[in-house]
C-alpha cells in the first residue's frame, strides 16, 4: 500500500504507517525491545537509552522510541554493537541502584530485574560508593525509596499529561538529579496510584500493600470495578479469601490502563466490617440468628401485607440481584420499587439515561458542556479521557455548576438551571459554540438530576442536544454520567415504581405515615434510617453500614469480588465480574437470598440456578447477553416536566473517598481523606500542611 512505510527488522520485512517509531515497527516484526522511559500512553522522553538499535548507515546506535521509521530502513536489534550498547546502558543504570531486591515490593514484577537478566552484563566496572537520595513524601498511597529511582520520568509525564496535576518534577542535574513532588506535598490527584504501575523499579510502590505479600503468593482474578459507573477493568489479587491489592487491566474503550485511587485502594474495606451471618433485632439490639429464624420473622411480618412492602436497590448491587428482587416484588404484588436511592429523575427510553457517546467516543467530540457534574470526583478515569481530548486541541469546554478544578481549562458559564434555559433560548455565547460544532457533547451529572426539578433539567438538556445537533443520524452527543455502578442495570431491568407505585421519596414518606410497613434495603446505604419511620426494615448487603444499622433483619450478601455477576456501566456496556473469593461465613450470593426467601414466603421464583435466572433476565433485557458490547439504544426523548428552579446545581460527589459502604470501611480511604483535609488546610488546630 502506498500509505505504508516498508522496512526490514532483523531480516523480516514489515509495513507500518508513516510516523510509526522504530520501536513500534520492531514489535510489529516480533522483535523484543527493552525500555524503561518509553510508555505508549505517554509522550516520548528518550532518556533511558535502553531501546538502542542499529540502523544501517547510521553513525551510532539509535534510540528506537524516539526515531520515526523511514522507507527501506534496515534495522538490527540483535547485533554485537546493540548488545554491547545495552549492556553499557544497564551498567550505568546499576551504578547507583541499591541491592534492595530481597526487601523490595517490586521484586518479581520489576522491569529492571527482568531486563538486567535479559540484556545486562555479568559484571560492573564501577567500584565507587553509591549515591543515596532522601525519600519524598507523596501521601498515604505512594511509598517512596528514591535511591532506587532511574530517572525514567514516567511519573512526571503521567502527572502532567494524564492526571493533569503537574506536581512531580525533577530538580538538580547529573548525579544530583532527584524526582520530587512540589514542596514535598502529597499528590493532589484522584489517580495518583497509577504512578506505582508506571514505575519500572521499586522507587514508587504501594504504601498500603508494603511488605504484605509477594506476587507469586497471590491468586489473581480478572474482574470489574464498581466504585463508580465507569466499569474499569481490574485484577483482584487474593491470599486465601483476603484481598491484598487491586490493579488495573487494559481496556482501550473503557479505562485504557488507568484506575482511580478509590478503585485501587479500597481492598482493605473488602476485608473489614463484613456481615458474615444473619442478624435479628431483639429489644432494640441486633443479635445473631440463623437463616431459618431470620426468614421466619420476615415471613411473619410480610404475611398478607405484600402490597405494603417497598424495595430500594443500592449503588453497588449486581444485575442478577436486582432482577431477582424485581421478580420477588412482582410476586408480592407491590409496585413500590426503586433503584434510584439518590432520587435521580431518570426514566424513559434507554437513550435518556446512558452515556450515548461512549467513553472512547469522547475523543471524537469537538465541544463539551458539563451540566451539574464534576467528573474529576464522579469518574476520574472518564475525566482523564476528557483531558486527553482537550490536549488534542480545538475542544471548547463549558460547565454549569460551582467552579471546580477539572485538570483542564473549562469556562464556568453559570451556576444553575437559568443558565441552561439561556443556552436553550440562544441567549448565551456558548450556544453559538454548540451550534457551530459538528459533534458537540453534553454531559448531565446526577447533581442536576437528583433535585426536585430533575426531570425538567433532563428535558431541557435533551432539547438543547437536539437543537445543537448533538443528536443526529451519525452522532449522539447526549450523555448522562452516573455515579452508581448498579444504576443503569436497574433502569434497564425496570426497577422503577409500577402503576400507583412510590419512588424513593414516596417510600420514605409512606414509611413514616404507615402506608408502607416493610422496606427491603438491597445494598441501599445512603438512606437516612430515621426517614423510614417505624417500618420493618430488611437489609440485604455485604457491609455493616448505614442500612444495616437501621435494619430489623440483616441478611448477609456477597461483595462484588465474591460473585460472578453482570454490571452495566454508564455507557450501557454489560460487563461480568468473576469470583475472586467465597463470601465470608454464612453470607450468600444476592440472587440466592431472594430465591430462598421467595420459597419461605410461598412465592417461589421460577429459577433454581444462575443459568435459569440469566435466561429469564436476557428475555427482559437482551443486551445483557452481549458482554462487553455496546448496543444501539433508542434516541433520548424529553420527558414532560414543569419549570426548572433557579437554584444552583450541587454536585453529587463532594467527598471522593467515602461514597459507598466499602470505601467507608477502608482505613486507607480514611487516611486519604485526612491527608486531603491537611492539604486543604481544614484540619482543626494544625493549620495548613506542606
Amino acid at each position: 500500500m502506498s500509505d505504508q512505510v516498508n522496512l526490514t527488522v532483523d531480516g523480516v520485512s514489515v509495513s507500518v504507517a508513516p510516523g510509526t517509531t522504530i520501536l513500534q515497527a520492531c514489535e510489529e516484526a516480533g522483535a523484543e525491545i527493552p525500555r524503561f522511559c518509553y510508555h505508549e500512553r505517554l509522550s516520548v522522553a528518550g532518556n533511558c537509552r535502553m531501546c538502542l538499535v542499529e540502523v544501517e548507515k547510521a553513525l551510532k546506535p539509535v534510540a528506537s522510541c524516539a526515531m520515526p521509521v523511514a522507507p527501506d530502513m534496515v534495522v538490527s536489534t540483535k547485533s554485537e554493537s546493540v548488545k554491547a550498547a545495552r549492556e553499557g546502558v544497564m551498567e550505568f543504570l546499576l551504578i547507583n541502584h541499591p541491592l534492595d531486591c530481597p526487601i523490595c515490593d517490586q521484586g518479581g514484577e520489576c522491569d529492571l530485574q527482568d531486563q538486567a537478566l535479559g540484556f545486562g552484563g555479568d559484571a560492573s566496572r564501577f567500584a565507587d560508593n553509591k549515591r543515596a537520595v532522601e525519600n519524598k513524601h507523596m501521601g498515604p498511597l505512594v511509598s517512596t525509596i528514591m535511591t532506587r529511582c532511574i530517572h525514567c520520568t514516567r511519573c512526571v509525564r503521567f502527572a502532567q499529561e494524564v492526571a493533569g496535576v503537574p506536581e512531580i518534577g525533577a530538580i538538580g542535574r547529573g548525579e544530583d538529579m532527584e524526582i520530587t513532588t512540589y514542596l514535598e506535598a502529597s499528590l493532589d490527584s484522584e489517580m495518583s496510584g497509577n504512578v506505582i504501575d508506571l514505575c519500572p523499579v521499586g522507587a514508587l510502590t504501594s504504601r498500603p500493600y508494603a511488605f504484605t505479600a509477594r506476587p507469586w503468593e497471590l491468586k489473581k482474578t480478572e474482574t470489574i470495578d464498581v466504585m463508580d459507573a465507569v466499569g474499569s477493568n481490574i485484577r483482584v489479587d487474593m491470599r486465601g479469601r483476603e484481598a491484598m491489592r487491586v490493579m488495573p487491566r487494559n481496556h482501550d474503550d473503557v479505562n485504557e490502563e488507568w484506575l482511580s485511587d478509590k478503585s485501587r485502594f479500597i481492598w482493605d474495606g473488602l476485608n473489614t466490617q463484613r456481615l458474615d451471618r444473619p442478624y435479628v433485632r431483639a429489644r432494640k439490639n441486633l443479635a445473631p440468628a440463623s437463616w431459618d429464624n431470620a426468614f421466619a420473622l420476615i415471613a411473619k411480618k410480610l404475611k398478607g401485607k405484600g402490597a405494603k412492602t417497598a424495595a430500594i436497590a443500592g449503588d453497588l448491587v449486581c444485575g442478577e440481584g436486582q432482577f431477582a428482587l424485581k421478580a420477588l416484588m412482582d410476586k408480592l404484588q407491590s409496585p413500590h420499587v426503586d433503584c434510584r436511592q439518590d432520587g435521580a429523575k431518570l426514566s424513559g427510553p434507554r437513550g435518556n439515561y446512558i452515556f450515548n457517546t461512549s467513553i472512547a467516543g469522547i475523543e471524537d467530540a469537538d465541544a463539551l458542556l458539563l451540566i451539574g457534574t464534576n467528573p474529576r470526583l464522579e469518574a476520574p478515569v472518564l475525566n482523564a479521557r476528557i483531558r486527553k481530548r482537550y490536549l488534542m486541541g480545538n475542544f471548547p469546554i463549558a460547565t454549569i455548576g460551582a467552579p471546580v478544578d477539572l485538570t483542564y481549562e473549562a469556562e464556568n458559564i453559570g451556576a444553575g438551571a437559568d443558565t441552561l434555559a439561556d443556552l436553550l433560548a440562544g441567549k448565551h455565547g456558548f450556544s453559538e459554540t454548540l451550534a457551530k460544532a459538528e459533534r458537540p457533547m453534553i454531559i448531565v451529572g446526577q447533581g442536576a438530576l437528583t433535585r426536585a426539578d430533575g426531570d425538567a433539567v433532563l428535558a431541557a438538556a435533551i432539547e438543547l442536544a437536539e437543537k445543537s445537533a448533538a443528536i443526529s443520524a451519525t452522532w449522539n452527543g447526549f450523555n448522562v454520567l452516573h455515579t452508581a455502578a448498579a444504576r443503569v442495570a436497574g433502569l434497564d431491568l425496570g426497577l422503577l415504581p409500577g402503576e400507583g407505585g412510590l419512588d424513593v421519596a414516596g417510600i420514605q414518606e409512606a414509611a413514616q405515615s404507615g402506608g408502607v410497613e416493610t422496606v427491603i434495603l438491597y445494598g441501599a446505604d445512603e438512606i437516612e434510617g430515621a426517614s423510614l419511620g417505624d417500618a420493618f426494615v430488611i437489609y440485604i448487603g455485604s457491609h455493616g453500614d448505614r442500612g444495616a444499622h437501621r435494619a430489623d433483619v440483616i441478611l448477609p450478601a456477597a461483595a462484588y469480588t465474591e460473585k460472578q455477576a453482570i454490571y452495566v456501566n454508564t455507557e450501557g456496556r454489560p460487563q461480568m465480574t468473576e469470583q475472586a473469593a467465597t463470601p465470608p461465613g454464612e453470607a450468600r450470593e444476592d440472587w440466592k437470598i431472594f430465591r430462598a426467601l421467595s420459597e419461605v414466603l410461598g412465592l417461589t421464583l421460577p429459577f433454581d440456578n444462575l443459568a435459569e435466572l440469566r435466561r429469564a433476565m436476557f428475555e427482559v433485557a437482551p443486551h445483557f447477553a452481549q458482554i462487553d458490547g455496546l448496543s444501539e439504544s433508542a434516541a433520548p426523548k424529553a420527558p414532560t416536566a414543569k419549570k426548572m428552579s433557579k437554584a444552583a446545581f450541587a454536585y453529587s460527589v463532594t467527598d471522593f473517598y467515602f461514597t459507598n459502604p466499602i470505601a467507608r470501611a477502608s482505613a486507607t480511604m480514611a487516611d486519604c481523606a485526612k491527608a486531603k483535609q491537611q492539604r486543604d488546610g481544614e484540619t482543626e488546630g494544625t493549620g495548613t500542611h506542606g
Side-chain angles (χ1 to χ4, degrees):
M1 292 174 63
S2 58
D3 59 345
Q4 296 282 294
V5 176
N6 299 316
L7 68 155
T8 303
V9 178
D10 294 336
V12 177
S13 296
V14 62
S15 297
V16 295
T20 302
T21 63
I22 296 175
L23 185 150
Q24 292 168 321
C26 289
E27 292 191 332
E28 284 279 322
E32 182 183 0
I33 305 293
R35 83 290 298 265
F36 292 113
C37 69
Y38 174 78
H39 191 279
E40 60 188 13
R41 300 195 194 276
L42 303 175
S43 61
V44 174
N47 55 6
C48 78
R49 318 311 281 181
M50 195 65 203
C51 65
L52 293 174
V53 297
E54 184 179 345
V55 176
E56 191 176 79
K57 298 180 182 177
L59 298 176
K60 57 182 181 179
V62 169
S64 60
C65 70
M67 174 75 76
V69 295
D72 303 322
M73 184 179 269
V74 178
V75 179
S76 175
T77 69
K78 299 176 181 176
S79 67
E80 284 301 316
S81 66
V82 170
K83 184 173 180 291
R86 289 175 181 169
E87 287 183 1
V89 170
M90 182 59 70
E91 193 174 354
F92 271 116
L93 288 173
L94 296 177
I95 291 172
N96 286 307
H97 198 80
L99 190 57
D100 281 350
C101 301
I103 57 153
C104 177
D105 269 324
Q106 201 82 352
E109 298 173 322
C110 179
D111 290 350
L112 189 63
Q113 273 186 337
D114 296 342
Q115 293 182 36
L117 176 66
F119 303 99
D122 58 357
S124 174
R125 289 165 288 176
F126 290 90
D128 297 343
N129 290 332
K130 295 177 181 285
R131 75 166 192 163
V133 180
E134 283 190 18
N135 297 336
K136 306 297 186 289
H137 174 67
M138 287 195 184
L141 301 179
V142 181
S143 177
T144 63
I145 301 183
M146 301 312 291
T147 302
R148 300 172 184 163
C149 178
I150 61 169
H151 304 156
C152 71
T153 68
R154 281 186 182 181
C155 56
V156 177
R157 285 173 284 148
F158 171 82
Q160 182 146 359
E161 297 165 15
V162 179
V165 184
E167 295 183 352
I168 306 179
I171 57 173
R173 291 177 66 81
E175 193 176 56
D176 296 325
M177 179 177 170
E178 296 181 24
I179 302 294
T180 183
T181 55
Y182 179 67
L183 295 181
E184 294 197 25
S186 59
L187 299 177
D188 186 16
S189 171
E190 294 71 35
M191 298 183 66
S192 62
N194 290 289
V195 300
I196 296 166
D197 298 333
L198 289 171
C199 185
V201 294
L204 306 177
T205 54
S206 170
R207 188 179 291 276
Y209 172 73
F211 309 121
T212 58
R214 287 296 197 183
W216 51 85
E217 296 178 67
L218 306 176
K219 176 192 168 192
K220 302 169 178 65
T221 306
E222 296 186 347
T223 184
I224 305 299
D225 171 59
V226 301
M227 290 298 107
D228 54 32
V230 172
S232 298
N233 286 226
I234 59 171
R235 191 188 84 198
V236 178
D237 291 359
M238 310 287 294
R239 186 167 59 190
R241 69 156 318 280
E242 184 181 7
M244 301 301 293
R245 63 178 178 178
V246 174
M247 301 180 73
R249 287 188 294 129
N250 187 71
H251 192 309
D252 287 344
D253 291 336
V254 181
N255 59 306
E256 297 185 298
E257 60 188 76
W258 313 128
L259 194 59
S260 78
D261 288 345
K262 182 164 53 181
S263 302
R264 182 187 293 268
F265 291 106
I266 49 78
W267 50 265
D268 62 325
L270 288 165
N271 304 327
T272 54
Q273 284 189 254
R274 293 301 306 272
L275 299 172
D276 58 359
R277 62 185 304 175
Y279 287 83
V280 169
R281 192 173 294 279
R283 296 177 184 174
K284 296 189 177 181
N285 293 320
L286 287 164
S290 67
W291 278 99
D292 289 342
N293 288 345
F295 279 165
L297 178 59
I298 294 170
K300 180 182 175 183
K301 289 288 183 180
L302 290 183
K303 190 172 183 180
K305 297 180 180 178
K308 286 195 170 186
T309 301
I312 302 171
D315 293 348
L316 306 183
V317 297
C318 60
E320 289 86 347
Q322 292 186 86
F323 179 77
L325 172 61
K326 179 70 165 61
L328 178 61
M329 295 302 288
D330 289 345
K331 289 274 190 180
L332 289 168
Q333 297 183 329
S334 171
H336 312 311
V337 183
D338 204 345
C339 65
R340 307 161 301 180
Q341 69 169 336
D342 56 6
K345 308 297 188 292
L346 282 169
S347 58
R350 198 164 189 252
N352 276 25
Y353 58 80
I354 66 170
F355 203 92
N356 292 288
T357 304
S358 81
I359 296 170
I362 292 171
E363 295 179 33
D364 298 322
D366 55 6
L368 173 62
L369 174 66
L370 299 170
I371 302 173
T373 179
N374 177 1
R376 180 173 176 180
L377 298 186
E378 295 169 23
V381 171
L382 185 143
N383 193 61
R385 186 80 74 144
I386 296 175
R387 175 172 169 79
K388 181 180 179 181
R389 173 62 188 89
Y390 164 77
L391 292 176
M392 295 177 189
N394 298 319
F395 192 50
I397 304 172
T399 66
I400 303 177
V404 288
D405 177 10
L406 294 170
T407 72
Y408 41 81
E409 286 185 24
E411 180 189 2
N412 184 254
I413 59 174
D418 50 346
T419 306
L420 181 56
D422 288 345
L423 283 169
L424 196 54
K427 296 178 181 177
H428 196 284
F430 201 75
S431 305
E432 192 176 336
T433 303
L434 288 173
K436 286 181 179 177
E438 292 181 14
R439 295 178 301 279
M441 270 182 72
I442 295 172
I443 300 179
V444 185
Q446 300 305 296
L449 300 171
T450 52
R451 304 159 25 127
D453 65 341
D455 49 357
V457 173
L458 179 65
I462 292 174
E463 286 178 35
L464 179 61
E466 291 169 344
K467 187 176 179 181
S468 61
I471 301 173
S472 67
T474 57
W475 176 255
N476 191 339
F478 177 77
N479 304 286
V480 171
L481 178 56
H482 289 276
T483 54
R487 189 66 46 81
V488 174
L491 293 167
D492 284 347
L493 293 169
L495 268 79
L496 294 169
E499 188 175 342
L502 301 171
D503 62 8
V504 165
I507 290 169
Q508 290 170 303
E509 288 177 19
Q512 293 178 47
S513 66
V516 165
E517 296 184 9
T518 304
V519 179
I520 299 173
L521 295 180
Y522 173 34
D525 286 283
E526 313 308 319
I527 304 292
E528 288 295 330
S531 70
L532 299 176
D534 294 327
F536 182 76
V537 176
I538 303 162
Y539 177 77
I540 300 167
S542 61
H543 282 70
D545 203 71
R546 297 167 185 163
H549 290 175
R550 171 59 186 84
D552 295 292
V553 174
I554 295 174
L555 304 178
Y560 71 103
T561 54
E562 297 158 0
K563 57 190 173 185
Q564 187 195 68
I566 295 173
Y567 286 83
V568 184
N569 76 349
T570 192
E571 57 180 350
R573 181 190 301 271
Q575 299 186 104
M576 190 175 290
T577 63
E578 294 295 339
Q579 188 175 27
T582 54
E586 297 177 37
R588 296 291 180 266
E589 289 184 40
D590 317 22
W591 73 269
K592 290 181 179 178
I593 295 173
F594 292 117
R595 172 63 177 77
L597 180 57
S598 72
E599 195 167 330
V600 172
L601 296 174
L603 304 168
T604 306
L605 296 176
F607 42 80
D608 295 325
N609 55 52
L610 193 54
E612 290 178 6
L613 182 151
R614 284 190 178 144
R615 224 171 1 251
M617 184 170 69
F618 294 160
E619 287 180 16
V620 174
H623 57 274
F624 273 44
Q626 300 172 26
I627 299 299
D628 199 35
L630 290 177
S631 51
E632 288 287 326
S633 297
K637 183 180 179 182
T640 306
K642 297 175 183 176
K643 286 187 177 181
M644 297 182 287
S645 76
K646 292 186 177 181
F649 293 134
Y651 298 127
S652 61
V653 176
T654 53
D655 190 342
F656 172 70
Y657 299 107
F658 292 139
T659 54
N660 61 63
I662 299 176
R664 288 190 285 269
S666 167
T668 303
M669 291 297 100
D671 290 341
C672 290
K674 184 178 178 182
K676 180 163 177 58
Q677 278 188 335
Q678 291 177 332
R679 192 167 57 236
D680 294 344
E682 295 173 359
T683 304
E684 294 180 19
T686 61
T688 304
H689 172 77

